[in-house]
Amino acid sequence: MPSPKHIQITVKGRVQGVGFRPTVYRYATQLGLLGTVRNDTSGVVIDLQGPSQGLNAFIELLETAPPPHAIIEKITLDRNPPAITPANDFRILPSSRSGDLAAGMPPDLATCDQCRDEMSAPRNRRYRYPFLNCTDCGPRFTIIAALPYDRVRTSMAAFQLCPECLAEYHSPADRRFEAQPNACSVCGPKLRLLAPSEDTLAHAEQALREAIRRLRAGEILAIKGLGGFHLACRADQDETIARLRSRKNRPHKAFAVMFASLEEANQYCYFDNHEKAALASPARPIVIVKPRPDKLSAMISPDTDDVGALLPYTPLHHLLLAEVSPLIMTSANFAEEPIRCDSTELNMLLGGIADAALDHDRGILRRCDDSVLKIVAGKPLFYRRSRGFVPAGIRIPTTGPSVLACGAELKNTFCVTRRDQAFISQHIGDLTEYRAFSFFQESVTDLCRLLEVTPDIVAHDLHPDYLSTVYAQQLPGKYLIPVQHHHAHIASCMAENGLSTPVIGIALDGTGYGPDGTIWGGEFLVCDLHRFERVAHFKQYPMPGGNAAVDDPRRMAYGILFHEGLISAPGSEPTPANLDLVNSLGTQCRDMLWQMLERKLNCPGTSSAGRLFDAVAAIIGICTEPVTYEGQAAVRLQFIANHEVTEAYPVKLIDNILDWGPMIQCLSEEKQRGVSPAIMAAKFHNTIAQALLEVVENIRSTTGLTQVALSGGVFQNERLLHLTLTALRSHDFNVYQHHQVPPNDGGIALGQAAIALANTATAF
Ligand code: ZN
Ligand code: ZN
Ligand code: FE
């Protein structure tokens, strides 16, 4: 018999809180190997003793069949480790220090198949138990009070494990070994159903039954999930959806729909293998897909032909959806506030929005909205990166001291770095909402604490009035690094793609503060992570009334038409062009706009691409009222565009300024001639893509740069993204886009952090 050998294996990546040590235990004992496994701050350390053949078989098993939610970044093998006393069994050692965020603290994980099977087996002791979980699944990020990740530091600390659950928890061979949220109906959390008076109507299974009955009857229920309350109702009743829209004061923005299973989703929507994989992934994001014709209510997504689909991700969802499905599932909040998560916040929902609440007694310690993404050319395009992805770190091309990057103001997320990893917060929201700003402040403290860092370097937007900027400036004793908004957008795209050499950046968005004090948003930068130069931009147009022109695209359209001399003065003989638009504004408003524009009063100039989309939507007649959510005009414009049309409008490029005047003139004429909005919208998209190509070709000819990074919320427009990628790639540009963070302002913090790190690396 060959003599036994001793090796030490260190595994790095997401290896804690995902059942790694029990898997190691199982493999080692199956192969008859001896030794120990333990967590430490860098990952998992395995000391193994046995014959070479067994050791090799072990390594192969670990590499080919790691625990399902582990992400192995690196396996280091030491064949001559420090000697240890020969073992006579295989043991899991208690962790001295575990659950480190950088060592792979996992996000919340959707219920696994094994747990689902148990939950549906009448003889199982967890039959129909809505809070079962195991080392492969269940809540993580949303229940942790502090690290290391141990039950006493989670909201499960309030529940004393029953003898059976305790035995599982301590048994290394069990799939619930050290599953911190382990629970059963005897010892774990319980459901209750609340009426608007906050009286409890029913408990446990009775509460579930009553909730299902009410949902079926068309009621709107607040349902406590992983990261907060959802509002849920039937997705197949127009009247119910109309009630939800009116109560939530959300007339047009799309709602997400939860389907009981992939099979059911497939009856309602089309999806390819990439979309299917995303829908069924343990992160369970909302995936934007195309519905099959006439299967879903048109009221779910009135502005587009898309639908945000998602699958159940908690045992409770499975139990509900098995009996009433599909359901609309939308965050329980008003407008842009943070999602409600606490049972004490229920009084705000009950009665006003929800007819009843399905609550439970497992605390949510961290709010976390559902993530939203779309699959474009096989890869994710994030609209919102939150539950299921946070707090996983993103590797960035620079390293240095910890940095706090405060993000932008709308769709806020912030970011804290540790070495070469960036940890981006969950979706915080619109900081101008008081509650969102409090959530921001709490969350900054919270994430720094989880990461055990005290950043001395703080990056913030250049905009002096953003609350994230004001917050940064009030922090005592920090080294502040202001970062221009569009530089941050491009740096964000660079960072997630591992780029640090200069690129041509195209940043198209709604609003960002320029160093010249004007509002930018259609920008061509030549930049690296240190500095940027604005080498070209969209022509500046007046925004009559500032923010009022953001809310009402017709005002922006009026400003642009005025600027291009395509509109006649009030009182003079009206030109027939753009008459519909002018009439829809009303005489009073039109007179006021004219005066403001003529006297240049409260008409800040903007090169914003988002505002150009708004104005064009109004000019072609598809936005005849103020918008009800950000980006609505662009959403409609993309939706109606006819995909067959290949023509474009003329534009002028003078002194690196893209002048849209000729295009606006053509649009006015075509509108007057009665050309269909579908054709005009298509030509408009083509025009933008061609103009972008023309500008970057110019920049390449003077700089020799061929790498192009695309960022900014306008690139959420899949049609524009596709046209731009095709145009640039066919002209031999290497084009980079976002796949890990959103192109919108939810991705800004990552770029701020990357820039701050690059600049401190040289400054310190
Ligand atoms: Zn499970
Ligand atoms: Zn129990
Ligand atoms: Fe932006």
Coordinates of all heavy atoms in Angstrom, one line a residue, residues 398-401 457 479 481 528-531 754-764:
T398 N -8.0 48.3 -10.7 CA -7.1 49.1 -9.9 C -7.3 48.6 -8.4 O -8.3 48.1 -8.0 CB -7.4 50.6 -9.9 OG1 -8.8 50.8 -10.0 CG2 -6.7 51.2 -11.1
T399 N -6.3 48.9 -7.6 CA -6.3 48.5 -6.2 C -5.8 49.7 -5.4 O -5.2 50.6 -6.0 CB -5.6 47.2 -5.9 OG1 -5.8 46.9 -4.6 CG2 -4.1 47.3 -6.2
G400 N -6.0 49.7 -4.1 CA -5.5 50.8 -3.3 C -6.3 50.8 -2.0 O -6.9 49.8 -1.6
P401 N -6.2 52.0 -1.3 CA -7.0 52.1 0.0 C -8.5 52.0 -0.3 O -8.9 52.2 -1.4 CB -6.6 53.5 0.5 CG -6.1 54.2 -0.7 CD -5.5 53.2 -1.6
I457 N -11.1 58.0 1.7 CA -11.2 58.6 0.4 C -12.6 58.5 0.0 O -13.2 57.4 0.0 CB -10.3 58.0 -0.6 CG1 -8.8 58.2 -0.1 CG2 -10.5 58.6 -2.0 CD1 -7.9 57.2 -0.7
Y479 N -10.7 62.7 2.4 CA -10.1 63.2 1.2 C -11.1 63.1 0.1 O -11.4 62.0 -0.3 CB -8.8 62.4 0.9 CG -8.0 62.9 -0.3 CD1 -7.2 64.1 -0.2 CD2 -8.1 62.3 -1.5 CE1 -6.5 64.5 -1.3 CE2 -7.5 62.7 -2.6 CZ -6.7 63.9 -2.5 OH -6.0 64.3 -3.6
I481 N -12.8 63.4 -3.6 CA -12.5 63.4 -5.0 C -13.8 63.6 -5.8 O -14.6 62.7 -5.9 CB -11.8 62.0 -5.5 CG1 -10.5 61.9 -4.7 CG2 -11.5 62.0 -7.0 CD1 -9.6 60.7 -5.1
D528 N -9.1 58.0 -19.6 CA -8.7 56.8 -18.9 C -9.3 56.9 -17.5 O -10.2 57.7 -17.3 CB -7.2 56.6 -19.0 CG -6.4 57.7 -18.4 OD1 -7.0 58.6 -17.7 OD2 -5.2 57.8 -18.6
L529 N -8.7 56.2 -16.6 CA -9.3 56.3 -15.2 C -8.8 57.5 -14.5 O -9.3 57.9 -13.4 CB -9.1 55.0 -14.4 CG -9.7 53.8 -15.0 CD1 -9.4 52.5 -14.2 CD2 -11.3 53.9 -15.0
H530 N -7.8 58.2 -15.1 CA -7.2 59.4 -14.4 C -8.0 60.6 -14.8 O -8.3 61.5 -14.0 CB -5.8 59.5 -14.7 CG -4.9 58.4 -14.1 ND1 -4.4 58.5 -12.9 CD2 -4.5 57.2 -14.6 CE1 -3.7 57.4 -12.6 NE2 -3.8 56.6 -13.7
R531 N -8.1 60.8 -16.1 CA -8.6 62.1 -16.6 C -9.5 61.9 -17.8 O -9.5 60.8 -18.4 CB -7.5 63.0 -16.9 CG -6.5 62.5 -17.9 CD -5.2 63.4 -18.0 NE -4.4 63.1 -16.9 CZ -3.6 62.0 -16.8 NH1 -3.5 61.1 -17.7 NH2 -2.8 61.9 -15.7
A754 N -13.5 53.7 -9.3 CA -12.4 53.3 -10.1 C -11.5 54.6 -10.4 O -10.3 54.5 -10.3 CB -12.9 52.7 -11.5
I755 N -12.2 55.7 -10.6 CA -11.4 56.9 -10.9 C -10.7 57.4 -9.6 O -9.5 57.7 -9.6 CB -12.4 58.0 -11.4 CG1 -12.8 57.7 -12.8 CG2 -11.7 59.4 -11.3 CD1 -14.0 58.6 -13.3
A756 N -11.4 57.3 -8.5 CA -10.7 57.7 -7.2 C -9.5 56.8 -6.9 O -8.5 57.3 -6.5 CB -11.7 57.6 -6.1
L757 N -9.7 55.5 -7.1 CA -8.5 54.6 -6.9 C -7.4 54.9 -7.8 O -6.2 54.9 -7.4 CB -9.0 53.1 -7.1 CG -9.6 52.5 -5.9 CD1 -10.1 51.1 -6.3 CD2 -8.6 52.3 -4.8
A758 N -7.7 55.1 -9.1 CA -6.6 55.4 -10.0 C -5.9 56.7 -9.6 O -4.6 56.8 -9.7 CB -7.2 55.6 -11.4
N759 N -6.6 57.7 -9.2 CA -6.0 59.0 -8.8 C -5.3 58.9 -7.5 O -4.3 59.6 -7.3 CB -7.0 60.1 -8.9 CG -7.3 60.5 -10.3 OD1 -6.5 60.9 -11.0 ND2 -8.6 60.3 -10.7
T760 N -5.8 58.1 -6.5 CA -5.0 58.1 -5.3 C -3.8 57.2 -5.4 O -2.8 57.5 -4.7 CB -5.9 57.5 -4.1 OG1 -6.5 56.3 -4.6 CG2 -6.9 58.4 -3.6
A761 N -3.8 56.3 -6.3 CA -2.6 55.5 -6.6 C -1.4 56.4 -6.9 O -0.3 56.1 -6.6 CB -2.9 54.4 -7.6
T762 N -1.7 57.5 -7.7 CA -0.7 58.4 -8.0 C -0.4 59.4 -7.0 O 0.7 59.9 -6.8 CB -1.0 59.1 -9.4 OG1 -2.4 59.2 -9.5 CG2 -0.5 58.2 -10.6
A763 N -1.5 59.8 -6.3 CA -1.4 60.9 -5.3 C -0.7 60.5 -4.0 O 0.0 61.3 -3.4 CB -2.8 61.5 -5.0
F764 N -0.9 59.3 -3.6 CA -0.3 58.9 -2.3 C 1.0 58.1 -2.4 O 1.1 57.3 -3.3 CB -1.4 58.0 -1.5 CG -2.5 58.8 -1.0 CD1 -3.6 59.1 -1.8 CD2 -2.5 59.4 0.3 CE1 -4.7 59.9 -1.3 CE2 -3.5 60.1 0.8 CZ -4.6 60.4 0.0

